[in-house]
Amino acid sequence: MKRYLILLLFTFQGLLAQVQFEAKVSKNTLGLNERFRIDFVMNVDGDNFDQPSFEGFTLVGGPSQQISQSWINGRSSFQKVYSYILQPQKKGTFTIKPAAIEYNGQIYKTAPVKITVTNAVAQERDPYDRQQQQGSSNELLHLEAEVSKTTPYLNEPITVVYKLYFGNIGVTGFKELTKPKYNDFWNQNIEIKQLNPVEGSYRGERCYYVVLKKTILYPQKSGRLTIEPLSLDIGVQLPTNRRDMFGQMIIAEDNKTVSTGAKTITVRPLPEAGKPEGFTGAVGNFNFTVTPSRTTLKSGESLDLVVSAAGSGNLKLFTLPKPVVPNALEMYDPVHDERINTTLSGMSGKITDKYTIIPQYKGKYAIKPISFSYFDLSSGSYKTITSKEIMVDVLDGPTLAEANPSTASKNVVEKAEQFKYNKSKTILTGTAKNDFYGSDLYYILIFFPFAIIPIIILAKKKKEAIDSDVKGNRIRMNNKLAKKYLSQAKKQLGNKEAFYIALEKAMHNFLKAKLHIETSEMSKDNIRELLLSRNANPETVQNFINLTENCEFARYAPASSASIQQDYDKAVLIISELEKQIV
């Protein structure tokens, strides 16, 4: 007898293990501009399929359902599949939550699926794009980042022009999914006032293009640098092979994701050979001047010394050399001024540092020559410009020799003043604190676990009583599902197919809760007989059956929002009447 019980136990476990419900994806890692397919596969005919929310993804296809059943050598196999086509909304790692089904009173769920979304990738053809599969051959849509130079010197300007090429399609609008990042580049966008399509060609094919964005870049680091891609979600109108009743070609609207892909720039360092001392990183072609506002002045008067560099190059990315003046001349921090125009050819203009200098003593003083060095891109060599020496003549005031004796006593501090800010009294504060041991909180924490033991025992007994009531649990679960799907149907009033699926599930679960039956027992005659035996009104019963049959038909038939609202109101009324009538 014991042997038979063990055999029966293993047989029962084997039957439970036969239920398989899993989520399968076409790929776990994809680019931002790619799509993928997810299939929820079950080997039993489960009820109440509950799809996940697909957070972080856009549903572009589905749900579609496939059922297959076969007999091979006397053994049957069954498979039901719910399929969806999804497109990511942004980069990152996302988790698709479990889907759920009900079978023989048990809830089965799939394992969560992790999807990693990377930068957009080069893509010749989207296998899940229906318009590409059935549209015309001239459906060119390509986003290109045209880089003026891929091997510049450090701080040499390069330009990136973003062009959208398109063929025999209509572009209705676009939005940026990811903006390009220019790590280790100084960058500035060039304003584009109007987007005008221009006729051109792409890879030998005639098309149109529009310039979306222009950017000027100055590399700030040598080596291999990456320009992150620009990705766009574009609304398009595509011609199809179908025509309407008047012979006009039918235009299909769709959304496509395009990307430039990442661009790699190899930045050459500036040569070390011949690099001048004091070189501050200027690259381009410049003129350098040092101009005083005057060279002869009286005591108390000031002069302005203007140090400036003008020309074309990285004017915002280097500092001008600082003048060196004698101690008898007091020089203040400069006022910096920039007058720079930035175009696709780079920066051009003038930068200026203006120093204010005030003489302290009478005499003649020399401001030493100032040297400015830059790297000339046209010749590939360093050039240095040196200003002339400037003589400043101060006509009156004290001489430096007369001022020296008086300066020796300026920093003397009286002894009586040395300790005037020190406090003469000290205030001590006690640091002792009350011990935790023996406090009220100490005794509360000791006796609290003993006080909650009776509550835990009562809660456990109540849970065991609820769990042992299998029939009651099933009724409560079906009641809960009926309310859930009725609420879901109300939210889907604008979506015909989803509305009728939810409404049909709500009515089926209502019957399961009230009549204590399973899905296999839901025939029209059996439902009518059971409802009438429970004192339900024959007219209400017939209305319930008619509405149930109408759900399947209405999913595929044309329906207006008014008729959908009418079916929802009718379902609420019928369920409410049956609640009152069934005993």
Side-chain angles (χ1 to χ4, degrees):
M1 184 66 181
K2 184 177 180 181
R3 182 183 301 173
Y4 291 115
L5 288 175
I6 294 173
L7 181 62
L8 181 62
L9 178 62
F10 278 110
T11 304
F12 181 73
Q13 289 179 343
L15 289 174
L16 288 179
Q18 289 178 359
V19 178
Q20 296 179 356
F21 183 40
E22 57 183 339
K24 298 180 179 180
V25 293
S26 58
K27 58 177 72 177
N28 291 93
T29 302
L30 67 153
L32 185 63
N33 59 327
E34 293 184 298
R35 302 175 182 182
F36 73 100
R37 174 174 175 160
I38 182 168
D39 296 326
F40 297 99
V41 185
M42 65 193 80
N43 66 340
V44 294
D45 191 7
D47 291 327
N48 300 324
F49 173 72
D50 188 10
Q51 72 180 44
S53 60
F54 302 125
E55 293 180 5
F57 299 92
T58 301
L59 180 62
V60 296
S64 62
Q65 179 180 331
Q66 296 179 354
I67 298 177
S68 62
Q69 190 168 7
S70 62
W71 289 84
I72 301 176
N73 296 329
R75 301 182 64 180
S76 66
S77 65
F78 176 87
Q79 187 180 74
K80 181 191 284 188
V81 182
Y82 290 92
S83 300
Y84 300 83
I85 306 299
L86 303 177
Q87 180 170 325
Q89 297 172 349
K90 57 183 178 180
K91 294 190 297 182
T93 300
F94 303 91
T95 299
I96 297 179
K97 296 180 180 179
I101 60 170
E102 179 190 355
Y103 183 70
N104 285 339
Q106 297 290 328
I107 301 297
Y108 296 90
K109 294 184 178 182
T110 61
V113 179
K114 282 192 176 181
I115 302 294
T116 302
V117 182
T118 63
N119 288 326
V121 298
Q123 187 181 23
E124 296 297 328
R125 185 174 180 270
D126 187 349
Y128 302 115
D129 193 334
R130 293 170 295 176
Q131 299 301 331
Q132 281 188 353
Q133 295 170 9
Q134 66 186 19
S136 67
S137 59
N138 189 20
E139 291 179 6
L140 170 66
L141 185 67
H142 180 78
L143 183 63
E144 182 69 26
E146 298 181 355
V147 182
S148 62
K149 193 171 186 179
T150 57
T151 57
Y153 275 110
L154 186 70
N155 268 312
E156 179 181 358
I158 61 173
T159 59
V160 184
V161 179
Y162 296 90
K163 294 181 180 180
L164 178 65
Y165 293 90
F166 55 94
N168 188 26
I169 62 175
V171 177
T172 59
F174 64 89
K175 64 178 180 179
E176 288 187 358
L177 295 177
T178 58
K179 294 184 178 181
K181 295 180 181 179
Y182 309 107
N183 297 327
D184 298 315
F185 289 94
W186 183 93
N187 66 89
Q188 182 171 326
N189 291 328
I190 308 300
E191 182 183 1
I192 298 177
K193 296 182 179 180
Q194 192 172 1
L195 302 179
N196 294 319
V198 178
E199 188 173 356
S201 64
Y202 179 74
R203 293 183 179 177
E205 183 178 352
R206 292 188 62 187
C207 62
Y208 291 91
Y209 71 89
V210 61
V211 177
L212 302 178
K213 191 175 184 179
K214 298 178 181 178
T215 304
I216 182 79
L217 304 177
Y218 284 83
Q220 300 300 292
K221 178 181 176 182
S222 60
R224 292 173 62 85
L225 305 183
T226 301
I227 300 175
E228 298 291 336
L230 170 67
S231 299
L232 302 177
D233 179 27
I234 302 178
V236 296
Q237 294 177 332
L238 300 171
T240 67
N241 294 328
R242 297 176 291 132
R243 296 183 179 272
D244 58 18
M245 59 185 298
F246 301 105
Q248 300 292 328
M249 183 177 293
I250 297 177
I251 302 298
E253 293 190 358
D254 196 8
N255 281 75
K256 291 179 178 287
T257 302
V258 293
S259 172
T260 59
K263 300 290 183 181
T264 301
I265 307 297
T266 303
V267 182
R268 295 178 290 171
L270 298 178
E272 292 296 326
K275 181 181 290 187
E277 185 179 354
F279 175 72
T280 58
V283 177
N285 187 11
F286 303 99
N287 291 320
F288 178 72
T289 57
V290 179
T291 307
S293 59
R294 53 177 155 174
T295 56
T296 302
L297 62 162
K298 297 179 181 179
S299 176
E301 294 181 337
S302 64
L303 67 90
D304 291 332
L305 188 67
V306 179
V307 181
S308 63
S312 60
N314 59 334
L315 286 162
K316 294 184 178 181
L317 304 175
F318 64 84
T319 57
L320 292 168
K322 185 176 182 179
V324 177
V325 300
N327 293 333
L329 302 178
E330 185 175 1
M331 184 173 66
Y332 293 88
D333 291 338
V335 176
H336 185 74
D337 181 56
E338 295 181 353
R339 297 181 183 180
I340 301 171
N341 183 34
T342 304
T343 63
L344 275 182
S345 59
M347 288 185 273
S348 61
K350 183 178 183 180
I351 59 173
T352 301
D353 284 343
K354 184 168 71 173
Y355 295 86
T356 298
I357 298 176
I358 300 177
Q360 302 296 310
Y361 308 104
K362 178 182 177 181
K364 292 186 178 182
Y365 304 98
I367 299 177
K368 295 180 180 180
I370 305 174
S371 296
F372 170 72
S373 302
Y374 65 94
F375 182 74
D376 185 14
L377 291 170
S378 59
S379 63
S381 61
Y382 293 96
K383 293 186 177 181
T384 300
I385 303 175
T386 303
S387 65
K388 296 179 180 180
E389 183 180 72
I390 300 173
M391 293 299 299
V392 178
D393 187 9
V394 182
L395 300 177
D396 58 4
T399 62
L400 187 60
E402 294 173 351
N404 284 336
S406 62
T407 57
S409 60
K410 284 185 178 180
N411 295 326
V412 176
V413 180
E414 298 292 336
K415 290 184 179 180
E417 300 293 322
Q418 289 182 357
F419 305 104
K420 64 181 289 187
Y421 297 105
N422 290 1
K423 290 186 177 180
S424 58
K425 293 183 180 180
T426 303
I427 300 174
L428 302 178
T429 304
T431 59
K433 297 182 180 179
N434 296 329
D435 292 334
F436 173 70
Y437 179 77
S439 65
D440 293 341
L441 180 60
Y442 171 78
Y443 290 110
I444 289 173
L445 294 178
I446 285 180
F447 293 108
F448 179 73
F450 298 100
I452 65 171
I453 289 176
I455 299 174
I456 295 174
I457 294 173
L458 291 175
K460 184 178 180 182
K461 287 184 177 180
K462 185 174 181 180
K463 184 178 185 303
E464 290 175 350
I466 293 174
D467 292 342
S468 63
D469 184 11
V470 177
K471 184 177 180 181
N473 285 338
R474 185 177 297 176
I475 293 171
R476 282 189 290 272
M477 183 178 67
N478 290 329
N479 257 324
K480 184 178 179 181
L481 288 172
K483 293 177 181 178
K484 171 188 172 183
Y485 286 116
L486 195 59
S487 174
Q488 187 174 341
K490 185 176 181 180
K491 295 178 182 178
Q492 300 291 341
L493 287 172
N495 187 346
K496 180 189 68 174
E497 185 174 353
F499 167 78
Y500 282 109
I501 290 174
L503 186 61
E504 186 177 10
K505 288 181 179 180
M507 299 178 73
H508 281 180
N509 282 286
F510 172 77
L511 288 179
K512 288 182 180 181
K514 296 301 178 183
L515 302 181
H516 310 159
I517 60 176
E518 297 300 327
T519 305
S520 58
E521 302 175 277
M522 286 191 182
S523 65
K524 181 171 65 175
D525 294 333
N526 192 33
I527 291 172
R528 179 182 286 107
E529 182 179 348
L530 289 173
L531 287 175
L532 292 176
S533 67
R534 301 287 293 275
N535 294 334
N537 189 307
E539 183 180 354
T540 307
V541 173
Q542 188 59 42
N543 290 338
F544 184 90
I545 293 173
N546 290 342
L547 184 58
T548 304
E549 293 176 344
N550 183 52
C551 285
E552 181 67 25
F553 172 76
R555 287 167 57 184
Y556 305 102
S560 63
S561 58
S563 63
I564 293 175
Q565 180 67 48
Q566 186 178 359
D567 285 343
Y568 174 77
D569 295 338
K570 188 184 297 182
V572 173
L573 178 62
I574 292 172
I575 290 175
S576 177
E577 290 178 353
L578 287 177
E579 283 272 11
K580 299 175 183 177
Q581 296 169 8
I582 293 175
V583 296

